[in-house]
Amino acid sequence: GDSVTQMEGPVTLSEEAFLTINCTYTATGYPSLFWYVQYPGEGLQLLLKATKADDKGSNKGFEATYRKETTSFHLEKGSVQVSDSAVYFCALGSNYQLIWGAGTKLIIKP
Amino acid sequence: DADVTQTPRNRITKTGKRIMLECSQTKGHDRMYWYRQDPGLGLRLIYYSFDVKDINKGEISDGYSVSRQAQAKFSLSLESAIPNQTALYFCATSDLSGGGYTFGSGTRLTVV
């Protein structure tokens, strides 16, 4: 069945460092792909999405490109801030639900 | 007011007790979902509903039941709570595209 694999955390970076969180997927067809973010004590929020191959989703300085050839949707940010500390989830859209990765905790140190 | 409201935010209950978690939404979405979040396991789907008359089991429905009282309300019940149901529970809604979900703030349930 469809599945999502993302890199294990926690990922610890210094402020202004470059961020990459890897996400790969297996799926039949051409699903939509999503990144969600969960700040401490809160629910998940949609960060960005891409609906077809080569689409780039972007929001709040984060970017991810839908790569069909490598079945990947890696999350990147050029310069992280302490306020980016959160748990990030990659997800794949099937017909009626989202298939979730396990989440990657990101810790940004000042 | 939040788009998706879950009550209670926190609950401690005893093994064997019946408990209901409630969810209401103002998004006007037809689709509603209940998820469970455990550390390191991401989110797992318990039940989902595409409209008031459509209820479906998800990945981990055993031990849970749901009721869709109206388009805006979707409640989750644990008929006889057990300790391994201790988790963070989220309600979510989506539009017909099934794309961007809106989540509630979660209910932290502890079964002792």
Side-chain angles (χ1 to χ4, degrees):
Chain A
D2 296 352
S3 66
V4 174
T5 302
Q6 58 182 108
M7 63 191 294
E8 289 188 20
V11 173
T12 303
L13 296 172
S14 297
E15 203 166 21
E16 299 184 2
F18 185 86
L19 168 71
T20 300
I21 300 178
N22 291 336
C23 172
T24 57
Y25 67 91
T26 57
T28 55
Y30 304 98
S32 295
L33 299 172
F34 304 84
W35 277 102
Y36 281 77
V37 58
Q38 184 180 27
Y39 298 104
E42 298 183 13
L44 284 74
Q45 304 172 26
L46 179 63
L47 181 59
L48 53 85
K49 67 178 182 180
T51 58
K52 61 183 187 295
D54 299 324
D55 267 2
K56 177 184 284 187
S58 61
N59 186 26
K60 299 180 181 180
F62 290 90
E63 294 183 341
T65 301
Y66 190 141
R67 301 286 189 196
K68 178 174 172 289
E69 63 276 13
T70 55
T71 62
S72 65
F73 192 56
H74 303 324
L75 182 68
E76 296 181 337
K77 187 175 185 181
S79 176
V80 293
Q81 305 300 312
V82 172
S83 58
D84 293 327
S85 297
V87 180
Y88 292 81
F89 290 91
C90 184
L92 174 161
S94 72
N95 183 46
Y96 57 83
Q97 63 170 304
L98 294 182
I99 308 297
W100 298 88
T104 301
K105 185 174 184 177
L106 175 65
I107 301 169
I108 307 300
K109 295 187 174 181
Chain B
D1 289 343
D3 292 326
V4 180
T5 301
Q6 291 184 236
T7 56
R9 288 298 307 273
N10 294 281
R11 180 72 182 268
I12 300 174
T13 192
K14 293 183 177 180
T15 298
K17 292 292 187 180
R18 183 179 189 274
I19 183 169
M20 179 183 289
L21 309 183
E22 299 190 10
C23 176
S24 63
Q25 55 116 344
T26 58
K27 298 287 289 184
H29 288 163
D30 286 322
R31 298 184 175 191
M32 297 187 74
Y33 309 82
W34 275 103
Y35 283 95
R36 169 177 171 159
Q37 184 179 28
D38 297 278
L41 292 178
L43 287 97
R44 293 184 290 169
L45 183 63
I46 306 172
Y47 271 93
Y48 63 99
S49 170
F50 281 1
D51 65 39
V52 174
K53 296 181 180 180
D54 180 70
I55 305 289
N56 302 280
K57 293 182 177 181
E59 177 186 357
I60 55 162
S61 60
D62 287 349
Y64 302 94
S65 62
V66 292
S67 174
R68 185 84 183 263
Q69 300 94 327
Q71 187 206 36
K73 295 184 181 294
F74 192 38
S75 60
L76 175 72
S77 294
L78 287 68
E79 296 301 327
S80 179
I82 56 177
N84 76 1
Q85 291 178 313
T86 293
L88 188 55
Y89 290 86
F90 286 104
C91 176
T93 73
S94 73
D95 59 22
L96 290 177
S97 73
Y101 283 24
T102 302
F103 280 82
S105 297
T107 295
R108 185 168 295 281
L109 177 66
T110 303
V111 184
V112 298

